[in-house]
Amino acid sequence: MKKYIQSSFDLLSNIRFFNLSTHDPDADSVWSSTIFYIPKYNPLTLIWYSKQETRHSRELYNNPRVSGTIYSSRVLPDSSLDLAGSQFIGYARQIPDGQLQETYDYFFLKTYPDENIRKKKARPISDYQGNAPRRFYELEIQAWWVYDSDAWSQNQDDDRVQVPLSELLSSAKIQ
């Protein structure tokens, strides 16, 4: 299990985009968006901001159940594929005003660790409240799977391995 936990942390620490899939039960349709995120641990959460008018933001109001993927791939010189990836399911929501400052500070500190760069690049908090079009969102992960290239190369039925969140989160304390 240790290699799957390490693979999970490698993805969460080094890849900054995830694919978010939402579902609108009224329209009986699904939607996928690529989103820049920052991870937060205990509970395992992905944080991002989006305009409220985007389809995925609107769909979260009707149905907070979502799924997503994080992956990294590249073709190696020998034409083989180097692939790492995860799939997950969870619940997403808009950050309430009472948690906005904490979320804003965490997101931009992790996005721009250098204070001078953060001051230049981070939008003001007023861009995420009141009549502003943007809001912060969080996705709390309920289940997590990682891709197992060994299982794939051995032609096993499923090349995904579920990583228990309790093990992932207990390891996060050591990271």
Side-chain angles (χ1 to χ4, degrees), residues 28-121:
D28 194 29
S29 67
V30 294
W31 186 252
S32 183
S33 303
T34 303
I35 297 176
F36 176 83
Y37 76 96
I38 296 295
K40 195 170 185 180
Y41 301 97
N42 207 17
L44 180 54
T45 307
L46 306 182
I47 300 169
W48 74 94
Y49 67 84
S50 290
K51 290 184 176 179
Q52 295 181 83
E53 67 193 33
T54 61
R55 182 172 172 177
H56 62 270
S57 295
R58 290 190 326 263
E59 288 183 356
L60 292 177
Y61 286 111
N62 295 328
N63 185 3
R65 293 176 52 200
V66 297
S67 66
T69 60
I70 301 172
Y71 66 92
S72 172
S73 66
R74 62 189 170 122
V75 176
L76 300 174
D78 65 359
S79 296
S80 61
L81 184 63
D82 180 22
L83 177 65
S86 67
Q87 291 177 244
F88 49 87
I89 56 173
Y91 292 90
R93 69 182 182 118
Q94 183 178 317
I95 298 292
D97 288 344
Q99 297 172 358
L100 179 59
Q101 186 69 57
E102 177 186 344
T103 301
Y104 172 90
D105 292 344
Y106 181 83
F107 183 88
F108 284 112
L109 174 67
K110 296 297 184 179
T111 302
Y112 306 113
D114 181 282
E115 185 177 356
N116 293 323
I117 294 172
R118 187 168 54 253
K119 285 179 181 178
K120 291 178 187 174
K121 298 227 177 206

Side-chain angles (χ1 to χ4, degrees), residues 151-165:
W152 181 82
S153 65
Q154 296 169 11
N155 292 321
Q156 294 181 11
D157 288 338
D158 195 353
D159 49 0
R160 293 168 296 176
V161 174
Q162 187 167 7
V163 178
L165 288 177

